[in-house]
Each structure stands twice: as C-alpha cells, then as structure tokens.
Amino acid sequence: MEKAGKPMILAAPANFDSNEWFIIGAVVVVLTISWLLPRRWLPVQTIFLVLFNLYLGKVGDYLLAIPPVDLYDANDTEKYEIFDFVLYVAAYPPVVYIMLNFYDKWRLKGARRVLYICFFALLTMGLEWLAHLAGVFTYRGWHIGYSFFVYCVVYTLNVFVFHWVRRTIIREKGNIDSQW
C-alpha cells in the first residue's frame, strides 16, 4: 500500500507466484458464484453496494495497513500492485454480494441474522487464512482472530446499508417489494 499523499500507480507484482494465482482463482470462484445467483435487486442497488464495499475496503486498509498502524501488507510489496486493485474490485464486492443475496433470499431476522453474519465472518476469515498461506497477506501485528470482528462489522454495515438503500428506493420509486 502506498504511503498517504503519494500517487497511486499500479505496480507490477514483484514476482508472479502463489499469491497472484490465489487471487486469480478466488476471483474466478466468487465472480462465477455471483454470476450464477439470481438477480434479486435493481441494478442501482447492486452498483451502490459494490461502490460502498470498494470504499469500505480502501478505508479499512488505510486505517490498518499503512503507517502509523501498518499491521499488514497485501501481496509482494508495500506498493499498490495490480493485484491489490483486483482484490478491491473483483474479489471483495462479490463476496458481500453473495452474502447479501442469501441474506435477502432467506429474509433473516433476529438471532438468525446474527448467526448468519457470524457464520459468514468465520467463512471469510477462513478464506483470509488461505490467502495468508498463499502469501496474499503478510501480517505484522495483525492476528487472524481480529478479522472475525472486522468481518462482523463489515457484514453488519452491509446489512444496514442494504436495508437503507431498499427503503430509499421504495420511498423514491415505489417499485420494490416493501415487506422490509
């Protein structure tokens, strides 16, 4: 990750090795699953959620992965690489899309909603651990256990934003199922 204030230029990977192959594989899997899921929302909802998660990923990394905190690096160097960009754009948002798609389908409430968020946080934490083993993440002061709480916050925020966007569209357009 580039230091604050410097221009973000996409650098080539220092080595094309296991971390790049892992990212390519993960992107293919999550995009395929996302593509196969039924379209449950208006395109504006999906676009908003994708942009929100792009923003959330960048803010999270700015808070945790650059000095003065600097708890981890992604990929081969501290520079912003092409595969860092691929992670932000093609891996993170589809995972949230998958999570919200099933959340919406099952219309979870109460304890089931909390358990689902915890389940997905554990699942994502497991995927992060595999990414760490493949060299995607290098931890310096970060512990994989912290990720569970971060993912719980991220998924909870996404559920709130999902409902907020839905209510806003219903109010403005009146063309979405208003059971929420």
Side-chain angles (χ1 to χ4, degrees), residues 107-130:
R107 302 204 182 258
L108 299 169
K109 295 182 180 182
R112 288 184 179 188
R113 179 184 295 174
V114 172
L115 289 173
Y116 181 73
I117 288 171
C118 289
F119 166 77
F120 233 88
L122 285 170
L123 178 67
T124 311
M125 194 172 88
L127 294 173
E128 179 185 324
W129 179 249
L130 292 175

Short mmCIF file of all heavy atoms in Angstrom, two decimals, residues 107-130:
data_model
loop_
_atom_site.label_atom_id
_atom_site.label_comp_id
_atom_site.label_asym_id
_atom_site.label_seq_id
_atom_site.Cartn_x
_atom_site.Cartn_y
_atom_site.Cartn_z
N ARG A 107 -34.53 -13.89 4.10
CA ARG A 107 -35.19 -12.85 4.92
C ARG A 107 -34.92 -13.05 6.41
O ARG A 107 -35.85 -13.16 7.23
CB ARG A 107 -36.68 -12.81 4.63
CG ARG A 107 -36.95 -12.54 3.15
CD ARG A 107 -38.29 -11.94 2.94
NE ARG A 107 -38.57 -11.73 1.54
CZ ARG A 107 -38.49 -10.56 0.94
NH1 ARG A 107 -38.14 -9.49 1.58
NH2 ARG A 107 -38.76 -10.45 -0.34
N LEU A 108 -33.66 -13.11 6.75
CA LEU A 108 -33.24 -13.40 8.12
C LEU A 108 -33.52 -12.24 9.06
O LEU A 108 -33.36 -11.08 8.70
CB LEU A 108 -31.75 -13.73 8.13
CG LEU A 108 -31.36 -14.95 7.29
CD1 LEU A 108 -29.85 -15.04 7.16
CD2 LEU A 108 -31.93 -16.22 7.90
N LYS A 109 -33.93 -12.59 10.26
CA LYS A 109 -34.20 -11.60 11.30
C LYS A 109 -33.72 -12.13 12.64
O LYS A 109 -33.53 -13.33 12.81
CB LYS A 109 -35.70 -11.29 11.38
CG LYS A 109 -36.24 -10.64 10.13
CD LYS A 109 -37.70 -10.32 10.26
CE LYS A 109 -38.13 -9.68 8.94
NZ LYS A 109 -39.48 -9.29 8.91
N GLY A 110 -33.54 -11.23 13.60
CA GLY A 110 -33.21 -11.60 14.97
C GLY A 110 -31.94 -12.42 15.11
O GLY A 110 -30.92 -12.13 14.50
N ALA A 111 -32.03 -13.48 15.89
CA ALA A 111 -30.87 -14.33 16.18
C ALA A 111 -30.34 -15.00 14.92
O ALA A 111 -29.13 -15.19 14.78
CB ALA A 111 -31.23 -15.38 17.23
N ARG A 112 -31.22 -15.36 13.99
CA ARG A 112 -30.76 -15.98 12.74
C ARG A 112 -29.91 -15.02 11.93
O ARG A 112 -28.94 -15.42 11.30
CB ARG A 112 -31.94 -16.46 11.92
CG ARG A 112 -32.60 -17.67 12.53
CD ARG A 112 -33.70 -18.18 11.68
NE ARG A 112 -34.27 -19.36 12.33
CZ ARG A 112 -35.14 -20.14 11.79
NH1 ARG A 112 -35.56 -19.89 10.57
NH2 ARG A 112 -35.60 -21.16 12.45
N ARG A 113 -30.26 -13.75 11.95
CA ARG A 113 -29.46 -12.73 11.26
C ARG A 113 -28.07 -12.65 11.89
O ARG A 113 -27.06 -12.64 11.18
CB ARG A 113 -30.16 -11.37 11.34
CG ARG A 113 -29.40 -10.25 10.66
CD ARG A 113 -30.06 -8.92 10.83
NE ARG A 113 -31.36 -8.91 10.17
CZ ARG A 113 -32.23 -7.92 10.24
NH1 ARG A 113 -31.98 -6.85 10.95
NH2 ARG A 113 -33.37 -7.98 9.60
N VAL A 114 -28.01 -12.63 13.21
CA VAL A 114 -26.73 -12.55 13.92
C VAL A 114 -25.89 -13.80 13.64
O VAL A 114 -24.69 -13.69 13.35
CB VAL A 114 -26.95 -12.37 15.44
CG1 VAL A 114 -25.65 -12.48 16.20
CG2 VAL A 114 -27.63 -11.03 15.73
N LEU A 115 -26.51 -14.97 13.70
CA LEU A 115 -25.78 -16.21 13.43
C LEU A 115 -25.27 -16.26 11.99
O LEU A 115 -24.16 -16.72 11.73
CB LEU A 115 -26.66 -17.42 13.73
CG LEU A 115 -26.94 -17.69 15.20
CD1 LEU A 115 -27.96 -18.82 15.36
CD2 LEU A 115 -25.65 -18.02 15.95
N TYR A 116 -26.07 -15.78 11.06
CA TYR A 116 -25.66 -15.76 9.66
C TYR A 116 -24.45 -14.84 9.46
O TYR A 116 -23.50 -15.20 8.77
CB TYR A 116 -26.83 -15.31 8.78
CG TYR A 116 -26.50 -15.29 7.31
CD1 TYR A 116 -26.38 -16.47 6.59
CD2 TYR A 116 -26.33 -14.08 6.63
CE1 TYR A 116 -26.08 -16.45 5.24
CE2 TYR A 116 -26.04 -14.06 5.28
CZ TYR A 116 -25.92 -15.25 4.59
OH TYR A 116 -25.61 -15.23 3.26
N ILE A 117 -24.49 -13.67 10.06
CA ILE A 117 -23.36 -12.74 9.97
C ILE A 117 -22.12 -13.37 10.58
O ILE A 117 -21.03 -13.31 10.00
CB ILE A 117 -23.71 -11.39 10.61
CG1 ILE A 117 -24.71 -10.63 9.72
CG2 ILE A 117 -22.46 -10.55 10.86
CD1 ILE A 117 -25.30 -9.39 10.34
N CYS A 118 -22.26 -14.02 11.73
CA CYS A 118 -21.11 -14.69 12.37
C CYS A 118 -20.59 -15.83 11.51
O CYS A 118 -19.38 -16.01 11.36
CB CYS A 118 -21.49 -15.20 13.75
SG CYS A 118 -21.73 -13.89 14.96
N PHE A 119 -21.51 -16.61 10.93
CA PHE A 119 -21.11 -17.70 10.05
C PHE A 119 -20.31 -17.17 8.86
O PHE A 119 -19.25 -17.68 8.52
CB PHE A 119 -22.34 -18.48 9.54
CG PHE A 119 -22.02 -19.38 8.38
CD1 PHE A 119 -21.37 -20.59 8.59
CD2 PHE A 119 -22.34 -19.01 7.08
CE1 PHE A 119 -21.06 -21.42 7.52
CE2 PHE A 119 -22.03 -19.82 6.00
CZ PHE A 119 -21.39 -21.03 6.22
N PHE A 120 -20.82 -16.12 8.22
CA PHE A 120 -20.13 -15.58 7.06
C PHE A 120 -18.80 -14.94 7.45
O PHE A 120 -17.83 -15.00 6.70
CB PHE A 120 -21.02 -14.59 6.29
CG PHE A 120 -21.12 -14.95 4.84
CD1 PHE A 120 -22.08 -15.83 4.41
CD2 PHE A 120 -20.23 -14.43 3.92
CE1 PHE A 120 -22.16 -16.18 3.07
CE2 PHE A 120 -20.29 -14.78 2.59
CZ PHE A 120 -21.27 -15.66 2.17
N ALA A 121 -18.73 -14.35 8.64
CA ALA A 121 -17.46 -13.80 9.13
C ALA A 121 -16.44 -14.92 9.32
O ALA A 121 -15.26 -14.77 8.95
CB ALA A 121 -17.68 -13.03 10.43
N LEU A 122 -16.88 -16.05 9.88
CA LEU A 122 -15.97 -17.20 10.04
C LEU A 122 -15.55 -17.76 8.69
O LEU A 122 -14.37 -18.09 8.50
CB LEU A 122 -16.64 -18.30 10.87
CG LEU A 122 -16.74 -18.04 12.36
CD1 LEU A 122 -17.63 -19.09 13.03
CD2 LEU A 122 -15.35 -18.04 12.99
N LEU A 123 -16.48 -17.86 7.76
CA LEU A 123 -16.16 -18.35 6.42
C LEU A 123 -15.13 -17.44 5.76
O LEU A 123 -14.12 -17.90 5.21
CB LEU A 123 -17.43 -18.43 5.58
CG LEU A 123 -17.26 -18.87 4.14
CD1 LEU A 123 -16.81 -20.32 4.07
CD2 LEU A 123 -18.55 -18.68 3.37
N THR A 124 -15.34 -16.14 5.82
CA THR A 124 -14.42 -15.18 5.22
C THR A 124 -13.07 -15.20 5.92
O THR A 124 -12.02 -15.07 5.28
CB THR A 124 -15.03 -13.76 5.24
OG1 THR A 124 -16.36 -13.83 4.73
CG2 THR A 124 -14.21 -12.80 4.39
N MET A 125 -13.09 -15.38 7.23
CA MET A 125 -11.85 -15.48 7.98
C MET A 125 -11.05 -16.71 7.50
O MET A 125 -9.83 -16.65 7.34
CB MET A 125 -12.16 -15.60 9.48
CG MET A 125 -10.99 -15.39 10.37
SD MET A 125 -11.51 -15.34 12.10
CE MET A 125 -11.44 -17.06 12.51
N GLY A 126 -11.75 -17.81 7.25
CA GLY A 126 -11.09 -19.00 6.70
C GLY A 126 -10.49 -18.74 5.33
O GLY A 126 -9.36 -19.17 5.04
N LEU A 127 -11.21 -18.00 4.50
CA LEU A 127 -10.68 -17.65 3.18
C LEU A 127 -9.47 -16.74 3.31
O LEU A 127 -8.49 -16.87 2.56
CB LEU A 127 -11.77 -16.99 2.34
CG LEU A 127 -12.94 -17.88 1.95
CD1 LEU A 127 -14.03 -17.07 1.28
CD2 LEU A 127 -12.49 -19.04 1.09
N GLU A 128 -9.52 -15.82 4.28
CA GLU A 128 -8.37 -14.94 4.51
C GLU A 128 -7.16 -15.76 4.96
O GLU A 128 -6.03 -15.47 4.57
CB GLU A 128 -8.70 -13.88 5.54
CG GLU A 128 -7.53 -12.96 5.82
CD GLU A 128 -7.79 -11.97 6.94
OE1 GLU A 128 -8.93 -11.49 7.07
OE2 GLU A 128 -6.83 -11.67 7.68
N TRP A 129 -7.39 -16.77 5.79
CA TRP A 129 -6.29 -17.61 6.27
C TRP A 129 -5.64 -18.33 5.09
O TRP A 129 -4.41 -18.41 4.99
CB TRP A 129 -6.77 -18.59 7.33
CG TRP A 129 -5.66 -19.47 7.82
CD1 TRP A 129 -5.51 -20.81 7.62
CD2 TRP A 129 -4.51 -19.07 8.58
NE1 TRP A 129 -4.35 -21.25 8.19
CE2 TRP A 129 -3.72 -20.20 8.79
CE3 TRP A 129 -4.09 -17.84 9.09
CZ2 TRP A 129 -2.52 -20.15 9.49
CZ3 TRP A 129 -2.89 -17.81 9.80
CH2 TRP A 129 -2.14 -18.94 10.00
N LEU A 130 -6.46 -18.85 4.17
CA LEU A 130 -5.92 -19.49 2.97
C LEU A 130 -5.13 -18.48 2.14
O LEU A 130 -4.05 -18.81 1.62
CB LEU A 130 -7.04 -20.11 2.14
CG LEU A 130 -7.76 -21.30 2.75
CD1 LEU A 130 -8.93 -21.73 1.86
CD2 LEU A 130 -6.81 -22.46 2.98
#
